[in-house]
Amino acid sequence: MLKEQIKNVLIRRLYENENIPYELLLLADPSRELIDKYLKTSEVYVALLDNDIIGTYVLYPVSPNVIEIKNISVDDEYQGRGVGTQMLRDAFKKANEKCFKAIIIGTGNSSVGQLYLYQKAGFKIIEIRKDFFIDNYPEPIYENGIQVKHMIVLRKQL
Ligand code: ACO
C-alpha cells in the first residue's frame, strides 16, 4: 500500500541545550564512538512533526569546498514518506548557503534503498572505500542479507 507523504515537517538545527538524538543517529551508524567523534566538528539538524523529532541529519565539513552528510535517519515509523528526501534537499540548501561547492555522502555496499535514494537526489558514485566497515567497526554488520564491507561514496556538485 502506498504510504501517505509527510509534507509538514519543520527542519532546524538542534539547539545547544537539546539532547542529541542518539536513537535516530544509531539507525544510520551503529557506532556511538564514531558518532561522538564526528559530532565534535559537525552540525546536527532535526526534522520535527508536531514538535516531535522524527528525523535527523549531520553536516560535517571535510575541506573548505566539500561538506559531508555523515548521518541521515528517519524514525522507523515514518520512513518511506518523503522525510529523508526533504532532509536531503535541506542539506543541499544549507551547504549552498555556506558556500560549499560539493556535498558527499557515504553508504554501505548493501544499502540498496539508500543508494537508490541518493542517486535519485542527484548524487553520483565517485569512490569505493574497500573494507571500510570491516576496518572501522568492531562487529560484522549485515543488511539485506549481505555483509556491509565497503563504503560507496557519492558526490553532488552544488
Ligand atoms: N529501502 C528501500 N527504499 C528506500 C529506502 C530503503 N532503506 N530508503 C529510501 N528508499 C526509497 C523510498 O522508497 C522512496 O522511493 P520513491 O521516491 O520511489 O517513492 C525514496 O527512496 C525516498 O524515500 P523517503 O521516504 O524520502 O526516505 P525516508 O524518509 O525513508 O528516509 C532514510 C531515508 C534516511 C535512508 C531512512 O529510510 C532511514 O532512516 N533508514 C535507516 C537509517 C539509514 O540507513 N540511514 C542512511 C545511512 S547512510 C548515512 O547516514 C550517510
Side-chain angles (χ1 to χ4, degrees), residues 34-124:
L34 283 184
I35 293 174
D36 281 335
K37 217 165 159 185
Y38 55 72
L39 285 192
K40 284 188 191 136
T41 49
S42 299
E43 291 181 353
V44 180
Y45 291 86
V46 285
L48 293 109
L49 181 68
D50 301 330
N51 289 322
D52 291 327
I53 293 177
I54 61 161
T56 188
Y57 77 86
V58 174
L59 281 183
Y60 170 90
V62 181
S63 70
N65 288 331
V66 181
I67 197 159
E68 178 172 354
I69 300 176
K70 271 280 181 196
N71 188 311
I72 180 164
S73 61
V74 174
D75 185 313
D76 286 333
E77 205 184 317
Y78 298 98
Q79 285 176 16
R81 298 176 64 187
V83 178
T85 303
Q86 289 176 66
M87 288 198 296
L88 284 176
R89 284 200 199 114
D90 192 71
F92 303 157
K93 193 164 156 249
K94 295 288 178 327
N96 244 320
E97 286 165 5
K98 292 172 190 292
C99 299
F100 285 94
K101 304 268 185 294
I103 187 160
I104 62 169
I105 192 162
T107 194
N109 54 284
S110 52
S111 302
V112 183
Q114 290 81 339
L115 284 166
Y116 161 75
L117 169 63
Y118 303 153
Q119 289 176 92
K120 206 169 145 188
F123 284 95
K124 292 191 171 76

